[in-house]
Amino acid sequence: MTPEALYGSPNALAPHYRRFRVADRLLLTGHSHQAWPDVGFEAQQRAWLDAAEYVDDKWERVFAVAGRVQRGFARLLDDSNGAIALGANTHELVVRWLSALPLGRRPRLVTTTGEFHTIRRQLQRLGEEGIAVVTVPALPAATLAERLAHAVDDRTAAVLVSAVLYENAHIVPNLAHVLAACRRAGAELLVDAYHALDVVPFSLQRDRLLEACVVGGGYKYCQLGEGNAFLRIPAGCTLRPVITGWFSEFEMLAAGEPATPVAYGPGAARFAGATYDPTSHYRAARVFDFFEEQKLTPELLRSVSQHQVDVLARAFDALDADPRVIARDRGVTLSELGGFLALRSPGAAELSRRLRQRDVWTDYRADVLRFGPAPYLSDAQLGDAMHALGSVI
């Protein structure tokens, strides 16, 4: 699969997404909910059929499928020695992780103004209960790591920061500086990589983040759908989450009585939950296979995404819109952006609503209208979407 095959009409990937009708609709919500390839539907059926055939004996197969999902996320993280815990969503995993922090003796958390609501809301609520939450301005993202590192002290339990900001797609570089500050102070670092995976190559080895914890999921650029979140922990992690599921002692229960004090399983089992619906993992494992079959590597997807965001940006500039109505951020270069184009407008909600009436699917956050392309869209479709924006403006 070459980039050029994805730019032309028809797009070479589009036939694999017939059920989502990507050739017939302008789905520009790729930064939030990408279409799923048709193979995911077949995998969901397989989950049902396995349950029907094996009943409660299905779990051996379920855990094997979950292992494929863990390996898929590990590949995207370029992680060779950590462990991947799976969860239905990032919130349940973040809560378990927060419960493992020594907040009694280090009641201070450092974060940014640019975090997604999973982290933003939970930390705000903890602040109401007496935890000191230090919120560092997220912009400019180019120097955010420096500001975060400066905010870490010996009362800090952890720093929580995104690799790519969810509202405006700004990439946050140099997170290794934050990790170094955390190591010196004895604090933990949690990186939210949700808006990076499969659109901005994210390498724990290259970025010197092997000692960091990472949270993310497959609902967005990975095309895995709901129910596929992960928490990556470093090798040798000894955190003991207070919020803990019985799957963490699954092997110990099989061998006899539960341990006292509470014991934790090895690696990813340390942050395990409890009984769950495995259907999402069947879908995710098959979609990971599909990406490999099509050779949709993070590097290729980054190249395609950069091209598509550039096409959108140029088409928007050609509209010559009144900047009081809508404008884009010209203070960052294309290389500093993730997988979508953010347009600031006081009428973002109304513009998104009117675009939907024209079958152009976008979304908005406050006064930011977001155009999120995906690899199954052609350049012509991107041009049509921006032409529709000109009409509604």
Side-chain angles (χ1 to χ4, degrees):
M1 190 66 66
T2 65
E4 291 72 25
L6 306 181
Y7 303 154
S9 298
N11 177 292
L13 266 184
H16 295 284
Y17 299 79
R18 295 187 189 278
R19 292 184 181 274
F20 269 78
R21 298 186 287 116
V22 301
D24 306 321
R25 298 187 290 178
L26 299 177
L27 299 180
L28 273 296
T29 54
H31 52 288
S32 179
H33 187 312
Q34 291 213 1
W36 308 340
D38 295 335
V39 294
F41 181 73
E42 301 160 11
Q44 287 200 198
Q45 291 178 307
R46 173 47 53 192
W48 201 99
L49 293 171
D50 277 2
E53 179 68 20
Y54 302 106
V55 198
D56 208 33
D57 289 344
K58 72 184 179 186
W59 289 101
E60 180 179 350
R61 290 167 174 78
V62 166
F63 293 152
V65 171
R68 290 164 57 195
V69 179
Q70 289 170 313
R71 291 190 292 274
F73 282 126
R75 285 195 301 272
L76 293 182
L77 296 172
D78 191 21
D79 184 16
S80 59
N81 65 353
I84 305 288
L86 300 177
N89 52 66
T90 55
H91 180 256
E92 71 172 57
L93 294 166
V94 168
V95 166
R96 287 180 213 161
W97 185 82
L98 287 169
S99 78
L101 299 178
L103 295 175
R105 55 186 173 83
R106 302 179 71 115
R108 189 173 185 268
L109 298 169
V110 176
T111 189
T112 85
T113 58
E115 301 312 303
F116 186 68
H117 307 303
T118 292
I119 288 174
R120 188 272 310 163
R121 175 181 168 85
Q122 192 61 67
L123 296 196
Q124 183 178 351
R125 182 66 183 90
L126 287 174
E128 293 176 350
E129 295 299 315
I131 301 298
V133 178
V134 178
T135 306
V136 174
L139 297 178
T143 54
L144 175 54
E146 179 182 342
R147 294 192 295 280
L148 286 171
H150 183 72
V152 177
D153 62 18
D154 58 7
R155 295 179 67 249
T156 302
V159 176
L160 300 89
V161 59
S162 293
V164 177
L165 301 180
Y166 86 98
E167 185 178 24
N168 55 24
H170 290 198
I171 295 172
V172 181
N174 304 319
L175 290 177
H177 295 333
V178 186
L179 178 60
C182 289
R183 295 298 87 183
R184 288 193 297 269
E188 300 289 339
L189 172 63
L190 181 70
V191 178
D192 182 349
Y194 219 138
H195 274 89
L197 293 187
D198 254 350
V199 73
V200 178
F202 187 89
S203 170
L204 292 172
Q205 300 196 56
R206 181 200 63 213
D207 298 333
R208 294 176 289 132
L209 292 172
L210 287 171
E211 294 182 75
C213 296
V214 182
V215 70
Y219 188 64
K220 306 180 190 298
Y221 302 98
C222 295
Q223 302 179 5
L224 309 184
E226 300 89 346
N228 289 298
F230 72 88
L231 172 67
R232 182 268 180 184
I233 57 174
C237 176
T238 58
L239 292 173
R240 302 179 75 246
V242 174
I243 308 300
T244 181
W246 70 273
F247 268 31
S248 187
E249 56 181 6
F250 199 92
E251 295 180 6
M252 290 173 273
L253 285 174
E257 292 297 318
T260 305
V262 174
Y264 295 82
R270 181 169 291 273
F271 284 88
T275 309
Y276 65 97
D277 179 357
T279 304
S280 58
H281 289 167
Y282 276 77
R283 183 176 64 241
R286 184 63 187 93
V287 173
F288 272 136
D289 289 346
F290 170 78
F291 269 53
E292 290 209 70
E293 292 161 4
Q294 300 297 325
K295 295 183 171 54
L296 298 174
T297 64
E299 291 72 26
L300 172 68
L301 292 170
R302 174 61 171 168
S303 176
V304 171
S305 173
Q306 291 270 273
H307 168 85
Q308 292 182 320
V309 172
D310 186 51
V311 168
L312 288 169
R314 291 175 183 273
F316 174 76
D317 291 348
L319 297 178
D320 195 25
D322 184 341
R324 295 171 298 180
V325 176
I326 190 168
R328 71 179 179 93
D329 186 357
R330 301 177 187 277
V332 291
T333 64
L334 188 64
S335 64
E336 295 174 297
L337 291 176
F340 62 92
L341 179 68
L343 303 173
R344 197 165 295 277
S345 170
E350 179 66 9
L351 289 172
S352 183
R353 185 185 69 81
R354 294 197 181 195
L355 284 168
R356 181 68 63 87
Q357 293 173 346
R358 296 169 179 257
D359 214 15
V360 179
W361 296 55
T362 62
D363 72 1
Y364 64 94
R365 294 290 184 270
D367 64 345
V368 176
L369 179 67
R370 305 192 301 179
F371 278 71
Y376 42 73
L377 295 177
S378 68
D379 285 4
Q381 287 176 292
L382 301 180
D384 289 345
M386 202 53 69
H387 177 75
L389 175 64
S391 297
V392 300
I393 288 173

